[in-house]
Amino acid sequence: MEAVVGLLVMLLGVSHGVETYCDGRQNRTQCYGALGGTVVLQLMDSASEIFKYQWNKNKTTAILHGRKDKIVSNEMKDRSIFTPSNGTFRINNLIRTDGAEYTLKIFDSNGRESGQRTLQLSIQAPVSSVRLDTGCLSQGEMRVSCSSEGGDSPQYSWTLDGHTLTDAQLLSGNKETNNITLKQDVSGRLVCSVRNHVSNVSKEEKISTCGFIFINCTLPDGTNISQWVFSATNTLCIDLTTTPTMITDTTDNSLLVCGLRAAVVLSLLVGIAIYFAWKKKKYNKVETSSRPRIKDHPENSFSMVEL
């Protein structure tokens, strides 16, 4: 079935467009190609100086035969090209069965084998797209899930504002997995990258906190409260709340209290002064009204009557 799919892809000229390169001049090299894409394998420096060479698949199936600059046979000629001048073998429209161990054998002019080396070619489907899903948990933590379409053996990595996520920002989960939980105060540009050996795709999303604040105070009855609460419905520590991100300025409050106290004391002093002034005025009035009046005419005085 994969061979038929590969043939259809080749005939229609359709390709994922992913091209990889691998230098196979070292023995036992690991190479990767993208499913439906192209791989360029460097088999040798140049074939012009090699008397005879043979490239086999899984040790038994002959793929390429050649003598110096002349290609004797190429069993994959429908979708591959060998360039003797630079020693590269290009395979297009890769299919799963292209993944195998390949062996290059070199012979001298006497027909004796003078060298041999192998390479392992693995075929992987490239990652096509990445999706991010976020959700708030009961205590204000944020659950983030990163999912990808396609892609064999995907590997995940996370960054926040261009920097790798730290353990201090994670409540749970590993920054190399596709599911993480962020702490309550984490916000910024979150990026999930998904990669394998033939592709690398990322997704960015701007995240903000879930609206929780951290309160830490002691109530009048001595109860200590230290926890994360939803800011919009919080009724705890209203006057005493202190949070890591919001510090109450006690200087202004102290000045206000002192001013109010001074105003109260001044009002009391003024009231007392007014009271005593009123009291004194009233006393003087009573004293004046009770004092006996002296008549202007001496004949009506007590002394005249006595005489």
Side-chain angles (χ1 to χ4, degrees), residues 16-81:
H16 287 288
V18 178
E19 180 174 310
T20 57
Y21 169 83
C22 183
D23 190 346
R25 290 173 292 183
Q26 296 294 324
N27 189 37
R28 305 187 69 81
T29 301
Q30 176 65 60
C31 300
Y32 293 92
L35 182 64
T38 298
V39 64
V40 178
L41 303 172
Q42 186 81 49
L43 302 183
M44 59 192 78
D45 295 328
S46 172
S48 60
E49 301 300 326
I50 300 176
F51 182 78
K52 180 182 177 182
Y53 50 88
Q54 181 178 320
W55 199 49
N56 296 337
K57 177 181 179 181
N58 292 330
K59 297 182 180 180
T60 57
T61 305
I63 301 296
L64 178 69
H65 283 200
R67 293 176 181 269
K68 294 189 176 182
D69 292 332
K70 182 180 179 181
I71 300 174
V72 177
S73 65
N74 181 0
E75 300 302 322
M76 297 177 65
K77 61 182 178 181
D78 291 336
R79 56 188 183 93
S80 70
I81 299 174

Side-chain angles (χ1 to χ4, degrees), residues 12 108 199 236 253 279 285 294 305:
L12 294 174
D108 59 21
S199 61
L236 301 173
N253 292 339
K279 193 76 174 176
K285 184 177 180 181
I294 301 174
V305 173

